[in-house]
Amino acid sequence: DVHSLVVNATGGNSFRVCYAQRLSKTTEIGMNPRITGALIGLLAILAAGCAKDDDVTVLKLAHVLDTEHSVHKGMVYMADRLEFYSDGKMRMDIYPSGQLGAERELVELLQIGSLDITKVSASPMEAFVPVLKIFSLPYVFRSREHCLKVLDSEIGQRLLESMEIARLHGLGYYDSGSRSFYMVENQINSPDDLEGQKIRVMKSQTAVQMIDALGGSATPIAWGELYTALQQGVVDGAENNPPSFYLSRHFETSKYYSLNEHTMVPDVLLMSLRSWEDLDPQQQEWLSKSVADSVEHQRKLWMESTEESLNAVIEAGVVVSRPDKQPFMDAVAPMKAAFDGTEIGDLLKEIEAVE
């Protein structure tokens, strides 16, 4: 049987975090029990997108992160606020930890209206909306404060609206900090140290180009497969923010973390355009207010989580360094200059002008 474990995450409210469990034994036809369970669970969950349940509008949200991640906790808060604002007329069910697929698969489910909401790193979104490659370019933002100011500005709103061409409705941005290199066997103090190193990147052509510009060999690998890839030497290292490095337990295989902070790639909260348009104006207002509260809450959690994660990996024996960023910036300058006179180039100038 496929069971659903319902966890009360909001002190008695009807919000649920659903965890699909494995089948207890193989099926008579011999199909892998994990695959069978996933298929049955997926069919049950996705039978409808935005659905009615006893006059309650239920939104289904799925993501790939651990339940201890600040993004998941931000979503829990969003679900709680949605129930509050709607006085129980709306509910959000959350499926964490990649239960319904990898990020790209979740976006595709949104596009056909089989899933309502997901979180996706902005980098892979360039495959759906080319202008979003701006987030995969290195050293676009001067600081975290500059990044958040841009995201909360008319520029950020315009980028959210650009996703409608892909049948997606951008709801808002979660903080995802800065991405830096972590390696199995060596510290990255300059681009020279990346020479010949296989570095896992997200499935973003711009991210691949960045690693190539820095002298490394980019290897796109799904997030859920990365621990094993590091452990087995398929890649020599990867790049991500401190909470993801810690919560994924990649610090168990990678003992060197160099905080060169080459990109600041936000997490984008996305909704199926079909699901958004199925909501009436009042429901859209309730959801928008819930998202705004959630974004503010998550950004506070993110700062706490970043500090806690760095302290935890240092305690676990990881060597954390802060290399000079200028050599990295110099190495990727031609890559950014290649966009001069294009839409991306104009957007870079617009972002740089934000004080």
Side-chain angles (χ1 to χ4, degrees), residues 258-270:
S258 304
L259 301 179
N260 68 312
E261 299 180 328
H262 46 266
T263 53
M264 295 183 184
V265 183
D267 280 335
V268 184
L269 200 56
L270 289 177

Side-chain angles (χ1 to χ4, degrees), residues 8-257:
N8 188 329
T10 57
N13 293 331
S14 63
F15 159 67
R16 299 181 295 176
V17 182
C18 304
Y19 297 85
Q21 297 181 336
R22 297 181 185 178
L23 287 177
S24 59
K25 58 183 180 180
T26 56
T27 64
E28 292 182 3
I29 59 172
M31 184 178 288
N32 183 306
R34 292 184 62 185
I35 296 174
T36 305
L39 286 174
I40 295 173
L42 187 61
L43 288 172
I45 292 165
L46 301 181
C50 177
K52 291 283 186 179
D53 180 7
D54 297 330
D55 296 323
V56 175
T57 297
V58 181
L59 299 178
K60 296 181 179 67
L61 184 158
H63 66 86
V64 302
L65 297 175
D66 186 275
T67 55
E68 291 302 310
H69 200 287
S70 66
V71 165
H72 176 77
K73 292 178 180 179
M75 291 170 171
V76 170
Y77 189 73
M78 175 171 59
D80 190 39
R81 299 304 291 167
L82 180 61
E83 185 168 5
F84 169 76
Y85 285 127
S86 69
D87 195 23
K89 296 181 179 68
M90 296 183 73
R91 191 185 79 218
M92 191 176 294
D93 290 350
I94 301 179
Y95 302 85
S97 305
Q99 290 181 48
L100 304 189
E103 283 194 343
R104 184 182 180 94
E105 294 165 339
L106 296 178
V107 172
E108 290 169 348
L109 289 173
L110 255 64
Q111 289 181 305
I112 62 175
S114 293
L115 181 69
D116 300 310
I117 302 174
T118 192
K119 182 286 309 177
V120 63
S121 178
S123 280
M125 286 302 299
E126 69 180 67
F128 298 88
V129 185
V131 70
L132 295 182
K133 70 175 59 178
I134 189 72
F135 291 120
S136 298
L137 291 174
Y139 300 107
V140 170
F141 303 105
R142 297 186 294 273
S143 64
R144 175 179 184 267
E145 291 71 27
H146 179 225
C147 178
L148 295 183
K149 192 166 186 178
V150 170
L151 296 180
D152 293 339
S153 72
E154 184 271 337
I155 299 172
Q157 183 59 37
R158 202 166 71 230
L159 290 170
L160 288 178
E161 293 171 357
S162 72
M163 302 181 201
E164 294 200 356
I165 194 172
R167 304 191 300 283
L168 301 167
H169 178 76
L171 291 169
Y173 299 99
Y174 282 148
D175 192 357
S176 192
S178 303
R179 300 177 72 91
S180 298
F181 293 110
Y182 53 87
M183 307 294 291
V184 174
E185 294 184 351
N186 64 298
Q187 196 81 31
I188 303 298
N189 296 311
S190 74
D192 291 341
D193 296 322
L194 285 166
E195 188 69 33
Q197 297 293 299
K198 293 173 290 184
I199 306 297
R200 179 269 176 180
V201 295
M202 293 183 285
K203 294 182 179 180
S204 155
Q205 190 57 42
T206 307
V208 170
Q209 292 169 359
M210 178 191 69
I211 298 300
D212 290 346
L214 290 170
S217 176
T219 307
I221 293 177
W223 177 247
E225 301 170 9
L226 180 52
Y227 187 99
T228 302
L230 289 164
Q231 194 175 48
Q232 296 181 350
V234 176
V235 291
D236 301 303
E239 45 88 51
N240 216 318
N241 53 60
S244 294
F245 177 48
Y246 172 59
L247 292 172
S248 64
R249 306 196 70 83
H250 291 170
F251 67 89
E252 295 176 345
T253 65
S254 305
K255 293 300 182 180
Y256 299 92
Y257 195 20

